[in-house]
Amino acid sequence: MDVAVRGSHLTMTSSSCIHAPAQAYFVCPVEGRAKYGSAQLLRSSLVNNRTQAKVAEELGMQEFAIANDKTKRPVALRTKTLATCLNVAFIAALYIDKDLEYVHTFMNVCFFPRLKEFILNQDWNDPKSQLQQCCLTLRTEGKEPDIPLYKTLQTVGPSHARTYTVAVYFKGERIGCGKGPSIQQAEMGAAMDALEKYNFPQMAHQKRFIERKYRQELKEMRLEREQQDNTEDVRK
């Protein structure tokens, strides 16, 4: 299925018809699993490019993609957006070729089991979004909320291989620092550093609550992660 095709009897002149079954399956089952606010967070966790890229890579979607020149050579997942397009195209094709039951099974196996992982890791959004949410919980009533501010400290290397160093500040205090091949990635690193080091009461409360309520699940998840790491080390 080509998400760029126009005017065929399948797309009906609009790629929205291709996206519709995929979008519906990312939204409806999640809505039934949680309250509205939580459902929004869970849905965003499923549809964000990081999750889509992880699933596409695990399934080897790039091996089955057809390039622009119509050859069936492997397509490199250079961007996470491309991975999202591959997943959406596959779900739409599965729906058209089979039916909703097959799509439902695919989602149950490849996507919905990750919801528990998102909850346990509090992995709702990217680090920058998480940091902004944490900062907003510390706002003083009646005043404009303080938000994290990012500042590029250093840029080194030639234009084709630069490394950026970025710091993030909150209420005038430097709370994190990160490096990356782009300013955006460096900012993500700085936000992640801040989340790990800065004392946000709301995040600490959430971690304590999850540790108490999901103690066994966390133990099993960490054990599974250690086994996966050991398997990768053996392969190397």
Side-chain angles (χ1 to χ4, degrees):
M1 177 65 72
D2 185 345
V3 296
V5 169
R6 295 290 185 275
S8 74
H9 68 288
L10 292 178
T11 61
M12 292 159 43
T13 74
S14 173
S15 64
S16 62
C17 295
I18 291 180
H19 288 261
Q23 289 174 337
Y25 247 89
F26 280 119
V27 175
C28 297
V30 174
E31 294 288 2
R33 292 165 183 245
K35 295 180 180 179
Y36 179 71
S38 298
Q40 283 186 311
L41 291 172
L42 293 174
R43 185 170 63 249
S44 68
S45 299
L46 285 177
V47 302
N48 69 49
N49 286 341
R50 290 179 300 130
T51 302
Q52 296 289 327
K54 187 174 182 181
V55 172
E57 186 176 357
E58 289 177 359
L59 295 177
M61 285 286 190
Q62 66 274 20
E63 298 292 330
F64 302 95
I66 299 176
N68 289 335
D69 57 8
K70 306 303 180 183
T71 59
K72 287 190 176 181
R73 57 183 173 79
V75 176
L77 295 178
R78 290 185 295 273
T79 66
K80 294 179 180 179
T81 303
L82 175 58
T84 302
C85 290
L86 284 173
N87 285 334
V88 169
F90 174 78
I91 293 170
L94 186 62
Y95 167 71
I96 293 170
D97 189 50
K98 297 294 184 177
D99 55 36
L100 280 176
E101 183 180 350
Y102 283 80
V103 176
H104 185 66
T105 300
F106 174 75
M107 298 297 291
N108 275 335
V109 172
C110 297
F111 282 96
F112 295 146
R114 300 174 192 273
L115 291 175
K116 179 182 286 188
E117 183 180 342
F118 295 142
I119 294 171
L120 297 180
N121 291 331
Q122 302 178 72
D123 191 15
W124 310 116
N125 287 310
D126 61 83
K128 285 184 68 175
S129 298
Q130 288 185 50
L131 180 60
Q132 178 134 332
Q133 290 172 354
C134 287
C135 290
L136 289 175
T137 64
L138 300 179
R139 66 182 299 177
T140 303
E141 193 168 343
K143 294 184 177 181
E144 285 293 316
D146 292 292
I147 59 174
L149 300 174
Y150 297 86
K151 181 180 179 181
T152 302
L153 302 181
Q154 188 179 44
T155 304
V156 297
S159 58
H160 65 280
R162 282 183 177 160
T163 298
Y164 298 87
T165 301
V166 172
V168 58
Y169 297 81
F170 179 58
K171 294 184 176 180
E173 177 186 354
R174 178 168 155 177
I175 61 174
C177 189
K179 292 184 178 182
S182 69
I183 293 178
Q184 183 181 17
Q185 288 179 271
E187 288 179 349
M188 287 290 187
M192 189 175 297
D193 187 45
L195 289 168
E196 292 174 355
K197 294 179 179 179
Y198 195 81
N199 180 31
F200 291 105
Q202 181 64 24
M203 178 167 279
H205 169 73
Q206 290 175 349
K207 286 182 178 179
R208 288 194 299 270
F209 174 80
I210 290 174
E211 286 283 354
R212 288 197 304 268
K213 187 170 183 178
Y214 300 102
R215 186 172 302 168
Q216 184 60 33
E217 288 89 341
L218 283 168
K219 183 177 179 181
E220 292 173 358
M221 189 176 71
R222 288 164 182 162
L223 180 61
E224 182 180 352
R225 192 172 294 165
E226 287 178 5
Q227 291 173 343
Q228 290 176 348
D229 291 341
N230 291 337
T231 301
E232 290 177 3
D233 290 340
V234 171
R235 288 176 180 173
K236 291 176 182 180

